[in-house]
Amino acid sequence: MTINLDNLNGLPDEFIAELESIKTLFQKTESFEKLLENYLIENLVFRINEYCLEQSIFGFHYTRAIYGEISKAGLTCRSGREIRDSFITRYEDKFSLKEIDEIKKAWKEHFNSQQNASRDKRLFFNFTTSALDNHGAEPLLSNFGGEQVYFPLQYFDKISDKIKGIGEPFILKCKLDPNDIQTFHDNPWGRIAVSTFHCRVNPRACQEDQDGYQVIDVIPENIEIIRYYNNNRLG
C-alpha cells in the first residue's frame, strides 16, 4: 500500500475513525504544536508513523525538465558539478560567451564546499502539495535544472529568462520507501498525516510539511509525471 499524506488516501479506515472521534479537538485548536501536547494525538502520530514505515509513501518533486528524459531515466542522484557541467554541454549555444563566463563565475562563488555537502547526490521531496499554495514550488517549476543550476543566476535577467525558457514544469509524484528518507523531525509521517486531517477540519490550521531527501535514484516505474499548468492541483 502506498500512503498519500497529502489527502490520506491509503491510510487505514481505523486511523481515520480515530481522528474523526477527536475532531472537536482539531476544530478548537489552531496550533499543531499545541495539539501534540495532547496524549491521544501524540500517540496517534506515533502509531500512524510506525504504520507508514511499513508501507511506501508518495513524495512530490517539483521541477522544470524535459519529459522524455524523466520518463526514460527517472530521477538520478548527481553531484552539483555533474548537473552544471551537463547543463553547459547541452545548452551553451543558448548563451553568449559573456553570459557563459558570468554563469560559471556565479556558480563558482555560490557553490562552495558547504553548499555542495548539503546538496550533492541528494533528491529532495515534499510530502504534501502545500508548496503549490504558498508559492514554495514556483521557483522550481519556473527554472530549468533546479537550484543546482538557477539559484545564483536568478538576478541575471537575460540569463534567467533563457533558463526559464528551457523544458516544461512537472510535478513528479514518486513512490518512495520512507525508511530511505532523511527528514528533520521525529515521527515525520505521522505528523504530516495528522496535520493533513487538522487542515481538513479546521480552515485556520497550517499544513505541516517538511523537506526530506534520499540518496537513492527513483526509477521511472515509480514516478507519475504530471504536467503542471497554472494552479492545477493533484487529485
Side-chain angles (χ1 to χ4, degrees), residues 21 26 87 126 133 211:
S21 73
F26 292 96
F87 178 84
N126 290 150
D133 294 322
D211 287 336

Side-chain angles (χ1 to χ4, degrees), residues 8 22-23 28 33-34 36 48-49 56 63 65 81 95 117 125 128 133 142 170 174 177-178 216 218-219 230 233:
L8 304 185
I22 52 175
K23 181 167 65 174
K28 292 190 299 184
E33 294 300 327
K34 187 72 174 177
L36 292 177
I48 291 174
N49 194 78
S56 55
T63 189
R81 170 163 288 192
F95 303 94
F125 302 91
T128 75
D133 294 322
S142 298
F170 299 108
C174 302
D177 182 341
I216 298 172
V218 184
I219 61 175
N230 288 338
R233 298 304 306 269

Side-chain angles (χ1 to χ4, degrees), residues 165-231:
I166 304 171
E168 56 183 317
F170 299 108
I171 304 166
L172 306 184
K173 185 180 178 184
C174 302
K175 181 180 177 180
L176 307 173
D177 182 341
N179 297 285
D180 293 334
I181 301 167
Q182 298 294 317
T183 60
F184 306 97
H185 283 296
D186 291 336
N187 302 314
W189 320 122
R191 288 175 65 103
I192 296 170
V194 172
S195 175
T196 295
F197 180 83
H198 187 198
C199 292
R200 180 184 292 179
V201 301
N202 187 336
R204 302 185 309 278
C206 293
Q207 176 69 58
E208 163 97 359
D209 199 356
Q210 54 187 292
D211 287 336
Y213 69 86
Q214 66 180 41
V215 294
I216 298 172
D217 297 346
V218 184
I219 61 175
E221 291 77 9
N222 285 339
I223 302 176
E224 179 184 354
I225 305 174
I226 302 166
R227 280 186 167 90
Y228 179 78
Y229 302 99
N230 288 338
N231 298 318

Side-chain angles (χ1 to χ4, degrees), residues 78-112:
R78 296 181 293 164
S79 69
R81 170 163 288 192
E82 289 174 309
I83 293 169
R84 293 186 287 276
D85 285 350
S86 174
F87 178 84
I88 290 294
T89 299
R90 296 169 60 194
Y91 299 110
E92 63 180 339
D93 62 326
K94 294 182 178 293
F95 303 94
S96 69
L97 291 176
K98 181 181 177 182
E99 287 173 334
I100 292 293
D101 287 341
E102 290 176 328
I103 289 169
K104 290 182 176 179
K105 180 181 178 182
W107 282 345
K108 184 176 180 180
E109 291 176 352
H110 181 79
F111 292 109
N112 55 30

Side-chain angles (χ1 to χ4, degrees), residues 63-76:
T63 189
R64 188 175 187 92
I66 308 298
Y67 182 94
E69 295 175 0
I70 299 170
S71 62
K72 182 178 180 180
L75 286 174
T76 58

